[in-house]
Amino acid sequence: IRGLYFIPLFFILLFSVFSHHTFAQGEISGEERIVTYSEKSGVFFVNNNGFALQYRYGKRMDGFRKLIYDFDVSHIKHPKEVKVRNPYYENQRRFVFGKLNTFVNFRAGLGIQKEQFSKQDKGGVSIKYYYGAGVSLGLLKPVYYNVVDSARYDKDKEQIILYLGTKKFSSDIHSISDIYGRSSFMNGINEIRPVPGGYVKAGLTFEYSSSYQRINALEAGVIFDLFTSTVPIMDTEKNSPYFITLFIGYRFGKVGLTKDGN
């Protein structure tokens, strides 16, 4: 997997450091223990194949578990995507040679979050793991390129005049030298088509907020998406109906308080 080979190693180091910090926390606080019952949080994820935004609502099931509802949107790229520029034209917009569609995936699902190691005081770290599954709805939007159809030399201006057309990519007729640059994102917006599917995921959360009412956490994990058909992102590379996504992100939000304990 291109781009984020460091994630598994970072994941292990993060777990080791925070686990050690959890067990080495200071004296137990003498203040009353706060019990939370709900969670509303958001997160920005950086993935090995793009990026994602998520909203989560969590409802406490017992002292250590929450039922979580996750809603997220992610931009998924093909692992072979590389942005290039036509060497014959300067200062033009870069493009991914051979790209057919931009792929955006919406997910909605349920899961369970369990607190494995609890905070001993407000300055400590709690470690939680979660797993879940749900439905996916991918949206494919065609990519258009500004393609050089023809050119002529203007003697008066002493320059080459280019005539451009807006076209989808075709490996049968296009080469890098034919493409002037990528076209506007709005081209093809009326041609969006859905690709349904489903997903499963699992991850770890390292929560370090100094307030019981706020969430500040680092999070990492993996998602497996499977769609009902092959997702045609690239024309020049092999496409697949599934994606394995490694992610790492920062979670922030608020929790509701239900009672004080002794």
Side-chain angles (χ1 to χ4, degrees):
I1 299 173
R2 294 190 59 203
L4 288 180
Y5 289 108
F6 67 89
I7 284 185
L9 178 60
F10 179 83
F11 199 13
I12 294 171
L13 291 175
L14 195 64
F15 181 83
S16 300
V17 171
F18 276 1
S19 294
H20 178 268
H21 181 77
T22 301
F23 289 118
Q25 290 174 26
E27 295 182 0
I28 297 175
S29 173
E31 64 186 25
E32 293 183 320
R33 179 175 174 81
I34 304 297
V35 180
T36 64
Y37 71 92
S38 67
E39 170 187 332
K40 295 178 181 178
S41 64
V43 65
F44 174 77
F45 289 125
V46 177
N47 305 333
N48 63 306
N49 56 11
F51 61 88
L53 298 172
Q54 183 193 90
Y55 170 79
R56 170 176 291 173
Y57 175 77
K59 186 176 181 180
R60 186 164 294 282
M61 301 170 64
D62 55 36
F64 296 98
R65 295 185 303 161
K66 281 183 181 177
L67 178 65
I68 54 176
Y69 303 83
D70 286 343
F71 306 91
D72 61 76
V73 56
S74 62
H75 174 224
I76 297 179
K77 300 188 297 183
H78 192 283
K80 296 294 185 178
E81 286 191 33
V82 178
K83 286 189 176 182
V84 297
R85 183 178 282 115
N86 190 324
Y88 297 104
Y89 309 111
E90 297 181 356
N91 302 320
Q92 301 307 316
R93 301 176 69 185
R94 294 194 303 162
F95 58 90
V96 177
F97 180 75
K99 188 164 184 175
L100 293 175
N101 293 284
T102 296
F103 187 54
V104 177
N105 187 28
F106 294 85
R107 303 186 187 97
L110 294 171
I112 300 294
Q113 181 190 74
K114 184 175 181 181
E115 187 170 345
Q116 188 68 20
F117 300 109
S118 301
K119 291 182 182 180
Q120 299 302 313
D121 54 45
K122 280 190 175 183
V125 175
S126 66
I127 300 178
K128 307 170 185 179
Y129 70 85
Y130 63 87
Y131 53 87
V135 295
S136 300
L137 179 63
L139 298 180
L140 286 165
K141 189 203 77 69
V143 173
Y144 279 81
Y145 298 86
N146 292 325
V147 179
V148 179
D149 286 332
S150 61
R152 70 177 179 86
Y153 182 74
D154 190 310
K155 294 182 179 179
D156 296 330
K157 296 181 179 180
E158 296 184 344
Q159 64 181 22
I160 296 175
I161 306 300
L162 301 176
Y163 295 93
L164 305 178
T166 302
K167 300 178 181 179
K168 297 178 184 178
F169 181 85
S170 172
S171 58
D172 295 331
I173 60 176
H174 293 146
S175 64
I176 290 180
S177 61
D178 298 320
I179 299 175
Y180 188 72
R182 71 179 186 272
S183 184
S184 168
F185 178 82
M186 297 307 295
N187 288 327
I189 202 74
N190 60 334
E191 302 176 57
I192 290 176
R193 60 188 180 93
V195 184
Y199 75 91
V200 294
K201 68 176 178 179
L204 283 176
T205 301
F206 303 91
E207 207 281 312
Y208 57 88
S209 175
S210 60
S211 170
Y212 286 121
Q213 294 180 285
R214 294 191 177 277
I215 296 172
N216 291 290
L218 294 178
E219 197 164 298
V222 60
I223 302 174
F224 177 78
D225 287 287
L226 178 64
F227 295 93
T228 55
S229 62
T230 297
V231 181
I233 297 178
M234 298 289 287
D235 182 62
T236 56
E237 302 290 345
K238 182 179 179 181
N239 295 294
S240 173
Y242 66 86
F243 297 89
I244 299 174
T245 300
L246 300 176
F247 63 84
I248 184 169
Y250 167 68
R251 182 174 296 279
F252 58 95
K254 294 182 178 182
V255 295
L257 307 180
T258 181
K259 62 180 179 180
D260 295 337
N262 293 320

